[in-house]
């Protein structure tokens, strides 16, 4: 928020003040005020009660049933409520979305203390009466930040570890860690959204996109957590470069550097017992706005596909570092062809030469839209494009396709959706003038109700608080503000930064974002031609080896295009839907849905490439084959068949599907078959352990 107003100071002084975004028709809110009005005024007539919305009759009936309201001779009488009792559904408490189900976070000094309703109120009085209490936070943030064994950064600036977690009493016990503790955790979460009933509003955007809003049911699963360490570095605030922790001044602009941190590779962890198999779950009946995007738009985003071949291997890097010959270009180029090569060289050279310091590496081209082959193919046939590439760079692209881009543009539709989901949330406070905590976001490549790639922005308050409706009404302004944020941010990586694309507390989603892909998608949604607005992408030199390995792996991918078939527009090869989904033909519906969710985020890195349209078609085809409903397991089934995945499924996918199956067969779901389900769960656990050990052995 601070960064936005620093870049747009005129908005601070000219826009209207923040509005109170509240859905007054939400029974969860209105019933409390109906009772309060009846209590304060002595009673209300049925006519007077009508100001509480169209569902007032339903609220009165429920209030009488719950003995919170009394109906007598056509008048409504209220009752006195305990606003200190978080379980009282008729008491007026905090209607902010970030404190609906409060949990007390307290210091664990080894002593037990009597718990009361006072524990869940963060007031001066409760702080004075209980010296152990650190803070009170909502359930959604407890599951995210204070789950069992979490490393929690408290409001006092200290670092704590969760030592005891009581979900029933809504209490969390923590112990303080040393100030120099660098270990951190982040939760592993998945979301599912069901649209309930017909949309309450709907309208068309450009290029076939549709924005709508209405009632939804949101289910959030907190399935485990990741453990990682913070690694100290230094960062220049002015030019965004990072250095080792002993570099005190920027090597480019000489500006003093500031302490910062990067993350080590994360270790996947399960919650301790008794939360290992089930984890935590939140179900929310609320309101949402959803944006559905035609899969046909995916092809318009190819220019944002990350470059997968090294410029130093195919001559591009040297070509851009060197001046072009004066006079006629060698090789007998036509005048138009020579102009094409010189124009690309002139526009690209400034970016490619930009190297802020010896401690950084410059990626140019960093995405396909910056590639010389892309420029040539836009104007010339494939064979002539490869011939010109050879004349310009010296690499024999016309006879040896190695290290030359050939059908390797992977889908960036999901990163574009994920990034747009984030930027709208980030711009919601400044454009829609509401509280960011009131709004959650979820993106998927396919949804059963919308039939296509969809972004949901949902109210995080039970019953809805009006935030989603504001997103629906302000979507044009939110898209404009999102584009401005992406374009004006000075960060230099494809994924962007916390100022433009990333949201705090969403570490998993922050890994699946793309600044250029989102910018091009916004162009399409606003009826404009998709434009590549970004220059060179600059990274710390320590990532150089990772990029080199990435390029080497891409070149060795089996089935890579080595001829002109794909470039000449040949029909793509039809692939088995279960192979695309990494799924066994014998599967349960919940496993299919989880596989589709995980693969949606993986296809960005798949070679041979998989499009969003192909993945969605595979999902629909798998649905038509039918899913099994029983959990009978046969003795001769392999561990992969038990977990219903193929051997080439990713570690992340196997882990998530294992947890999906664990929830399905948990004893709490089958109380009448406890012995049988306990046996099945043991088999599932052993299958997961066998695959884990096999994976570790192969890695070694």
């Amino acid at each position: 928020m601070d960064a936005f107003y620093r870049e747009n100071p005129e908005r601070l002084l000219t826009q209207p003040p923040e509005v109170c975004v509240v859905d007054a028709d939400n029974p969860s809110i209105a019933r409390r005020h109906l009772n309060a009005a009846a209590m304060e005024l002595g009673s209300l007539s049925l006519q007077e009660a009508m100001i509480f919305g169209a569902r007032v009759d339903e609220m009165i009936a429920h209030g009488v049933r719950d003995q919170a309201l009394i109906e007598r001779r056509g008048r409504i009488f209220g009752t006195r409520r305990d606003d200190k009792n978080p379980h009282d559904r008729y008491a007026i408490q905090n209607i902010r979305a970030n404190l609906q189900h409060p949990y007390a976070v307290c210091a664990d000094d080894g002593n037990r203390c009597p718990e009361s309703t006072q524990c869940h109120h963060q007031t001066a009085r409760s702080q004075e009466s209980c010296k152990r209490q650190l803070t009170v936070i909502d359930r959604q943030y407890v599951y995210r930040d204070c789950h069992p064994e979490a490393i929690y950064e408290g409001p006092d600036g200290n670092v704590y570890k969760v030592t005891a977690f009581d979900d029933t009493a809504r209490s969390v016990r923590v112990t303080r860690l040393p100030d120099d503790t660098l270990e951190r955790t982040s939760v592993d979460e998945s979301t599912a959204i069901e649209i309930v009933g017909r949309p309450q509003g709907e309208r068309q955007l450009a290029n076939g996109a549709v924005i709508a809003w209405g009632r939804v049911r949101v289910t959030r699963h907190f399935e485990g957590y990741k453990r990682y360490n913070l690694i100290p570095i230094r960062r220049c605030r002015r030019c965004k470069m990072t250095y080792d922790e002993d570099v005190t001044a920027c090597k480019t602009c000489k500006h003093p550097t500031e302490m910062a941190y990067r993350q080590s590779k994360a270790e996947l962890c399960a919650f301790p017992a008794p939360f290992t198999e089930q984890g935590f779950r939140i179900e929310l009946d609320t309101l949402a706005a959803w944006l559905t995007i035609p899969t046909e738009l995916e092809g318009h985003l190819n220019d944002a596909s990350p470059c997968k071949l090294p410029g130093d291997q195919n001559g591009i890097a040297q070509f851009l570092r060197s001046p072009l010959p004066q006079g006629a270009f060698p090789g007998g180029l036509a005048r138009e062809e020579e102009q094409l090569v010189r124009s690309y060289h002139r526009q690209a050279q400034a970016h490619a030469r930009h190297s802020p310091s010896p401690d950084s590496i410059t990626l140019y081209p960093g995405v396909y839209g910056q590639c010389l082959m892309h420029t040539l193919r836009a104007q010339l046939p494939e064979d002539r494009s490869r011939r010109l590439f050879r004349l310009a760079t010296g690499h024999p692209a016309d006879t040896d396709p190695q290290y030359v881009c050939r059908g390797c543009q992977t889908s960036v539709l999901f990163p574009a959706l994920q990034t747009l989901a984030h930027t709208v949330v980030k711009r919601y406070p400044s454009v829609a003038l509401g509280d960011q905590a009131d709004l959650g976001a979820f993106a998927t490549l396919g949804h059963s109700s919308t039939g296509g790639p969809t972004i949901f922005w949902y109210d995080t308050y039970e019953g809805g608080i009006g935030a989603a409706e504001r997103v629906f009404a302000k979507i044009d302004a939110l898209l404009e503000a999102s584009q401005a944020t992406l374009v004006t941010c000075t960060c230099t990586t494809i994924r962007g930064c916390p100022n433009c694309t990333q949201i705090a507390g969403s570490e998993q989603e922050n890994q699946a974002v793309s600044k250029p892909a989102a910018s091009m998608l916004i162009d399409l949604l606003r009826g404009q031609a998709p434009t590549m607005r970004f220059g060179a992408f600059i990274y710390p030199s320590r990532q150089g080896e990772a990029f080199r390995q990435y390029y080497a792996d891409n070149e060795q991918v089996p089935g890579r295009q080595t001829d002109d078939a794909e470039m000449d527009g040949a029909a793509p090869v039809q692939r088995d839907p279960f192979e695309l989904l990494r799924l066994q033909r014998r599967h349960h519906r919940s496993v299919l849905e989880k596989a589709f969710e995980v693969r949606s985020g993986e296809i960005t890195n798949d070679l041979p490439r998989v499009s969003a349209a192909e993945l969605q078609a595979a999902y629909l085809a798998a649905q038509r084959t039918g899913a099994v409903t029983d959990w009978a397991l046969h003795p001769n089934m392999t561990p992969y068949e038990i977990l219903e995945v193929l051997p080439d499924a990713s570690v992340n996918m196997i882990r998530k599907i294992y947890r999906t199956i664990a929830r399905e067969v948990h004893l709490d779901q089958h109380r009448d078959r406890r012995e049988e389900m306990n046996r099945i769960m043991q088999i599932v656990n052993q299958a997961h352990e066998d695959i884990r050990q096999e994976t570790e052995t192969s890695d070694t």
Side-chain angles (χ1 to χ4, degrees):
M1 178 72 80
D2 292 342
F4 178 80
Y5 282 116
R6 184 175 65 245
E7 301 295 332
N8 303 271
E10 72 284 353
R11 297 290 298 273
L12 184 63
L13 301 177
T14 59
Q15 69 182 13
E18 180 176 347
V19 296
C20 180
V21 181
V22 176
D23 180 8
D25 288 333
N26 179 355
S28 180
I29 298 172
R31 65 170 174 251
R32 306 169 190 266
H33 293 270
L34 172 62
N35 176 75
M39 182 68 190
E40 184 69 22
L41 299 175
S43 66
L44 293 175
S45 68
L46 294 177
Q47 183 63 34
E48 291 170 332
M50 294 302 293
I51 67 170
F52 289 95
R55 302 175 68 179
V56 67
D57 290 340
E58 173 189 339
M59 288 187 287
I60 292 174
H62 288 174
V64 171
R65 180 200 63 192
D66 297 338
Q67 298 182 344
L69 298 175
I70 300 170
E71 187 176 7
R72 184 181 303 150
R73 293 194 293 272
R75 298 195 70 82
I76 307 300
F77 297 83
T79 56
R80 189 171 298 280
R81 315 307 302 176
D82 179 7
D83 65 350
K84 300 294 189 297
N85 180 3
H87 302 287
D88 192 334
R89 299 171 64 246
Y90 292 86
I92 296 179
Q93 299 158 336
N94 193 328
I95 66 168
R96 299 296 293 272
N98 61 356
L99 211 60
Q100 300 172 76
H101 304 278
Y103 281 61
V105 181
C106 305
D108 189 352
D109 58 4
N111 299 315
R112 294 188 60 84
C113 62
E115 297 177 350
S116 68
T117 57
Q118 192 80 325
C119 294
H120 300 107
H121 281 260
Q122 192 173 26
T123 63
R125 177 181 175 188
S126 65
Q127 290 285 352
E128 292 173 2
S129 62
C130 182
K131 301 300 183 183
R132 297 186 180 94
Q133 188 191 85
L134 296 177
T135 187
V136 175
I137 57 178
D138 188 63
R139 174 181 59 181
Q140 59 183 316
Y141 303 117
V142 162
Y143 292 166
R144 187 189 75 184
D145 300 331
C146 289
H147 54 77
E149 297 190 348
I151 304 298
Y152 173 59
E153 297 182 54
D156 56 1
N158 295 318
V159 180
Y160 299 86
K161 181 166 185 174
V162 174
T163 54
F165 189 97
D166 191 330
D167 207 22
T168 303
R170 297 198 300 202
S171 67
V172 180
R173 302 290 177 140
V174 298
T175 57
R176 183 174 172 179
L177 298 175
D179 292 342
D180 59 354
T181 299
L182 295 178
E183 182 183 354
R184 294 294 187 271
T185 55
S186 64
V187 78
D188 190 8
E189 177 186 355
S190 63
T191 302
I193 297 183
E194 174 190 356
I195 297 175
V196 180
R198 298 180 61 84
Q200 298 183 30
E202 184 177 277
R203 70 181 180 91
Q204 293 279 335
L205 299 181
N207 287 302
V210 177
I211 182 76
W213 76 282
R215 303 211 68 82
V216 298
R217 182 170 296 111
V218 179
T219 303
R220 300 172 64 187
H221 286 289
F222 301 84
E223 302 171 322
Y225 68 99
K226 300 175 183 178
R227 182 188 294 121
Y228 60 92
N229 288 317
L230 298 177
I231 301 174
I233 57 174
R234 304 288 295 185
R235 175 176 288 129
C236 175
R237 180 186 292 270
R238 180 175 296 172
C239 51
K240 307 295 183 182
M241 295 307 303
T242 59
Y243 302 95
D244 292 337
E245 60 178 321
D246 59 347
V247 179
T248 58
C250 178
K251 297 181 180 181
T252 300
C253 66
K254 310 306 179 186
H255 194 267
T257 58
E258 301 174 350
M259 177 62 74
Y261 297 91
R262 62 183 178 91
Q263 295 182 7
S264 67
K265 184 177 179 180
E267 174 191 359
L268 300 172
C269 304
F271 291 134
F275 310 107
T276 306
E277 295 169 359
Q278 288 286 76
F280 302 98
R281 176 188 180 110
I282 295 177
E283 289 189 351
L284 202 62
D285 289 315
T286 186
L287 297 170
W290 57 90
L291 175 64
T292 305
I293 296 168
T295 53
E296 293 77 16
L297 297 189
E298 178 182 29
H300 296 282
L301 305 178
N302 278 344
D303 285 6
S305 176
C307 184
K308 297 176 176 61
L309 294 166
D312 54 352
Q313 293 286 349
N314 59 24
I316 282 288
Q318 183 61 38
F319 167 68
L320 294 178
R321 284 194 294 263
S322 306
L324 291 181
Q326 299 295 323
F329 204 92
L333 300 185
R335 179 179 178 83
E336 294 77 9
E337 294 174 339
E338 182 173 337
Q339 289 178 343
L340 189 62
V341 173
R342 289 188 181 278
S343 175
Y344 174 84
H345 186 272
R346 182 174 57 254
Q347 295 176 23
Q349 194 176 48
H351 297 305
R353 279 182 170 175
H354 179 66
S355 183
S357 77
D359 294 317
S360 67
I361 56 174
T362 299
L363 295 187
Y364 196 94
V367 292
Y368 182 57
Q370 299 171 338
C371 180
L372 173 59
M373 283 300 293
H374 170 269
T375 300
L376 297 175
R377 285 170 176 155
Q379 302 292 329
L380 302 170
E382 177 67 17
D383 58 347
R384 191 58 184 167
S385 296
R386 294 192 184 189
R387 173 65 177 165
L388 262 66
F389 190 95
R390 176 174 189 157
L391 293 174
T393 66
H395 182 78
D398 52 345
T399 58
D400 180 7
Q402 190 177 28
Y403 302 126
V404 177
C405 183
R406 52 193 192 280
C408 61
Q409 298 83 52
T410 49
S411 174
V412 291
L413 180 55
F414 183 74
L417 297 175
Q418 189 69 67
T419 309
L420 180 56
H422 283 191
T423 57
V424 167
V425 171
K426 293 174 77 68
R427 293 282 64 85
Y428 174 76
S430 57
V431 175
L433 304 178
D435 190 335
Q436 182 174 315
D438 295 340
L439 197 63
F442 171 69
T444 176
L445 277 183
H447 192 272
S448 58
S449 296
T450 65
T454 307
I455 305 172
F456 289 88
W457 294 281
Y458 60 89
D459 290 10
T460 55
Y461 193 90
E462 177 70 33
I465 203 169
E469 188 178 1
R470 295 282 292 176
V471 170
F472 173 81
K474 294 283 188 179
I475 188 63
D476 295 320
L478 286 165
L479 290 175
E480 180 182 1
S482 294
Q483 184 71 281
T485 298
L486 294 172
V487 172
T488 60
C489 186
T490 58
C491 69
T492 62
T493 67
I494 292 177
R495 285 181 179 169
C497 70
N499 183 51
C500 60
T501 64
Q502 299 170 11
I503 292 181
S506 301
E507 284 79 4
Q508 183 173 315
E509 292 81 2
N510 289 341
Q511 299 301 310
V513 294
S514 169
K515 191 173 175 178
S519 177
M520 297 179 74
L521 177 60
I522 293 172
D523 282 337
L524 293 166
L525 296 176
R526 300 179 69 198
Q528 301 170 356
T531 304
M532 176 53 60
R533 296 178 172 83
F534 304 97
F537 298 100
I538 303 170
Y539 293 84
S541 58
R542 61 176 172 271
Q543 293 187 230
E545 181 57 36
F547 281 119
R548 283 188 286 274
Q549 186 61 51
Y550 173 66
Y551 295 143
D553 291 344
N554 287 333
E555 187 55 46
Q556 300 304 317
V557 170
R560 245 179 94 76
Q561 289 288 328
T562 57
D563 54 37
D564 298 344
E566 186 167 331
M567 297 305 164
D568 289 340
V573 177
Q574 295 294 320
R575 284 177 278 186
D576 182 272
F578 293 97
E579 291 182 3
L580 289 179
L581 291 164
R582 310 288 194 262
L583 191 68
Q584 297 281 345
R585 294 181 180 277
R586 182 191 182 279
H587 63 272
H588 290 78
R589 177 165 182 167
S590 59
V591 173
L592 169 61
E593 292 173 349
K594 180 60 66 174
F596 178 67
E597 173 194 320
V598 176
R599 291 290 291 141
S600 294
E602 291 181 345
I603 63 171
T604 299
N605 298 314
D606 273 12
L607 281 176
R609 64 181 179 183
V610 177
S611 70
E614 285 181 289
L615 188 67
Q616 189 177 45
Y619 173 63
L620 295 175
Q623 280 187 322
R624 289 192 294 270
T625 64
V628 296
T629 56
D630 66 90
W631 288 99
L633 300 178
H634 307 297
N636 59 346
M637 293 176 71
T638 68
Y640 292 101
E641 289 172 333
I642 293 171
L643 293 188
E644 304 179 6
V645 297
L646 295 181
D648 58 349
S650 67
V651 172
N652 180 51
M653 178 173 171
I654 293 171
R655 177 174 51 86
K656 285 184 173 292
I657 286 182
Y658 160 68
R659 289 175 177 168
T660 298
I661 295 175
R663 284 197 301 269
E664 293 283 341
V665 303
H666 195 270
L667 299 181
D668 290 346
Q669 308 294 329
H670 306 274
R671 296 184 182 276
D672 58 334
R673 302 165 58 193
R674 297 181 66 87
E675 184 175 342
E676 176 189 0
M677 301 316 290
N678 184 52
R679 179 184 62 82
I680 291 174
M681 191 66 242
Q682 291 177 359
I683 296 174
V684 170
N685 286 339
Q686 186 60 52
H688 181 249
E689 178 63 20
D690 291 344
I691 293 176
R692 188 187 67 80
Q693 291 183 3
E694 177 185 321
T695 303
E696 290 181 352
T697 301
S698 62
D699 288 345
T700 304

